[in-house]
Amino acid sequence: AKDSDPPDGGYGWVVVVSAFMVMGFTVAVLKTFGLFFVEIQQHFDELASSTSWITSVTIVVFHLGAPVASSLCVQYTHRTVVITGGLLAFSGMALGFFGLNMVWMYATTGFLQGLGISFSWTPAISIVSHYFSKKRALANAIASAGECAFAFMFGPFFQWLISQYGWKGALLIIGGIQLNICVCGVLMRPLASSCLLKARHCETETASGNGASRRDKEDKSSIMHKTFNWMLVRRPEFVLYAIFGILAAMSFFVPPLFLVPLSYSLGIDESWTSSLLSILAMVDFGGRLLCGWYANFHVTKTIHLLAMTITLMSTSLMLLPLANNYLSLAIFTGFYGFFFGTTVAIHITVLADVVGMPEFDSALGLFMLIRSTGGFVGPPLAGLIVDIAADYRAGFYMAGATLALSTGFLIILDRLQQRKKRGSKIRTKPEKSVLPYPSLHVLKHQTR
């Protein structure tokens, strides 16, 4: 029966490496897809707004597909869904190679690619949490770091592919590279915990003699675990964490959007500006690994660690507009990138702690879906504030303030969890312990 617990190592590390690769072949590709923007725009002679819809469709489908991917993971296996995701991502890029018209690009490199990313990313992150318990934070941090490592390499590599084979040829080659997601999926061996759990139930049935009723309960519980749990939206803990997710996502996408325009407004040279994005990627990578390593010691409660990293990221965003030259801007960008990395490393671990592992697959899909609203609202809202203030600094103040507000919901969530914990301890105390000494009436009776 002990094998039904997460192994916390062993083959789990193969799953982590596979998830690391999946992060690179999905989110890192999405992050660096901007390199194709001008090429596609010029080829079809379209407006920038029309061309940008390719990436927008990918991001929308990536988030909307998360609950579908989670539901399929519950019904089938993580391995099956990841392999399907790899085939969808390849199809999106390979069909994009034909480049018939703009609608074709929306349907292929937009919709199919987005669905492929969703079906690969969601189960890859989920299965890592299933394989680890004590070392979950470290495992999640290593897996998520694949996004930074690959994004750092893909920038110059994609640029070279476009120069050598044109944007169409580059799409086909990238699609071929994304087929490796299927190989990573094959390596994601499902845990046999459900089978072992059933064996344990059978043992207790024969021991108790209530076989029929227990078997009925077991069948019901196995059916419940084979369906997607939409009712999580009724749980206060999940709702509080989802609100935190919306507010955090509102600010996550703002700094990279306005960092380059802010540096230009300060009169910083274009060649120096591009290095800011490299600094951002490197410190993000370091932040993820360092925070995962620290969380592994369980010195600080994970939700407290997340509240601290969010507060520090909020502070660094509030200070960033004070920069007046390249050096100060690079330092504040480094602080922001580092704390962003630490936050991304542990926020999925906190979600697992909030809902528990039996409901984690459903929770991850729902959390991604709800959080996406923040990602969609944040950049346009920040853009509006920048337009009103006629200053790029206003966008950073908005992002910092929104993050500070999100911390409040983490604090409320922590208080609620602590209160429930205290309540359950009081209920489970044995009644006999209330009167450890004989009553006064008994003592009187004995003295007579």
Side-chain angles (χ1 to χ4, degrees), residues 281-295:
M282 283 190 287
V283 292
D284 181 357
F285 182 79
R288 291 182 196 220
L289 295 181
L290 198 65
C291 187
W293 171 76
Y294 174 75

Side-chain angles (χ1 to χ4, degrees), residues 28-79:
V29 170
L30 181 57
K31 271 187 168 182
T32 45
F33 195 77
L35 293 166
F36 289 87
F37 186 88
V38 177
E39 302 287 334
I40 294 170
Q41 187 187 355
Q42 287 175 351
H43 179 83
F44 292 109
D45 193 24
E46 288 281 355
L47 295 168
S49 55
S50 303
T51 313
S52 65
W53 269 104
I54 298 172
T55 309
S56 297
V57 169
T58 312
I59 294 166
V60 170
V61 175
F62 170 33
H63 284 94
L64 294 181
V68 181
S70 292
S71 181
L72 290 170
C73 286
V74 174
Q75 288 181 2
Y76 302 102
T77 60
H78 295 82
R79 174 188 273 172

Side-chain angles (χ1 to χ4, degrees), residues 22-300:
V22 170
M23 297 303 111
F25 296 136
T26 55
V27 187
V29 170
L30 181 57
K31 271 187 168 182
T32 45
F33 195 77
L35 293 166
F36 289 87
F37 186 88
V38 177
E39 302 287 334
I40 294 170
Q41 187 187 355
Q42 287 175 351
H43 179 83
F44 292 109
D45 193 24
E46 288 281 355
L47 295 168
S49 55
S50 303
T51 313
S52 65
W53 269 104
I54 298 172
T55 309
S56 297
V57 169
T58 312
I59 294 166
V60 170
V61 175
F62 170 33
H63 284 94
L64 294 181
V68 181
S70 292
S71 181
L72 290 170
C73 286
V74 174
Q75 288 181 2
Y76 302 102
T77 60
H78 295 82
R79 174 188 273 172
T80 309
V81 184
V82 173
I83 293 168
T84 307
L87 293 170
L88 284 166
F90 162 72
S91 305
M93 288 297 197
L95 290 169
F97 164 78
F98 295 105
L100 304 179
N101 52 44
M102 216 58 188
V103 176
W104 177 265
M105 297 309 292
Y106 298 154
T108 55
T109 52
F111 182 82
L112 280 177
Q113 180 67 203
L115 203 60
I117 290 172
S118 191
F119 278 31
S120 309
W121 186 94
T122 313
I125 280 289
S126 173
I127 197 167
V128 169
S129 292
H130 281 284
Y131 260 91
F132 289 84
S133 177
K134 289 176 185 174
K135 296 176 184 173
R136 188 177 290 148
L138 178 64
N140 273 324
I142 294 168
S144 73
E147 177 190 322
C148 309
F150 277 79
F152 192 74
M153 294 185 292
F154 277 169
F157 177 56
F158 286 4
Q159 198 85 60
W160 179 80
L161 281 178
I162 293 165
S163 66
Q164 292 294 310
Y165 304 101
W167 68 270
K168 289 184 178 182
L171 282 183
L172 188 63
I173 293 164
I174 293 163
I177 292 166
Q178 283 183 311
L179 273 176
N180 286 296
I181 294 170
C182 300
V183 179
C184 297
V186 170
L187 293 170
M188 289 175 182
R189 193 166 66 200
L191 275 170
S193 58
S194 56
C195 305
L196 290 158
L197 208 60
K198 282 186 179 180
R200 194 195 291 169
H201 274 300
C202 292
E203 283 168 21
T204 52
E205 274 174 26
T206 50
S208 64
N210 297 328
S213 61
R214 296 241 172 174
R215 200 176 292 113
D216 289 342
K217 282 181 185 175
E218 183 203 319
D219 290 341
K220 280 178 187 174
S221 67
S222 66
I223 291 163
M224 277 170 68
H225 285 291
K226 283 286 177 188
T227 55
F228 189 84
N229 187 7
W230 293 97
M231 290 299 104
L232 280 167
V233 291
R234 290 184 178 180
R235 280 177 61 175
E237 295 98 324
F238 178 76
V239 171
L240 285 167
Y241 198 67
I243 296 168
F244 153 75
I246 292 168
L247 292 168
M250 276 178 75
S251 55
F252 279 178
F253 297 97
V254 174
L257 199 67
F258 295 121
L259 190 62
V260 173
L262 176 67
S263 67
Y264 287 158
S265 70
L266 292 172
I268 296 166
D269 188 63
E270 198 176 318
S271 57
W272 286 101
T273 301
S274 60
S275 70
L276 289 173
L277 299 174
S278 300
I279 291 167
L280 206 58
M282 283 190 287
V283 292
D284 181 357
F285 182 79
R288 291 182 196 220
L289 295 181
L290 198 65
C291 187
W293 171 76
Y294 174 75
N296 195 43
F297 292 113
H298 302 280
V299 177
T300 313

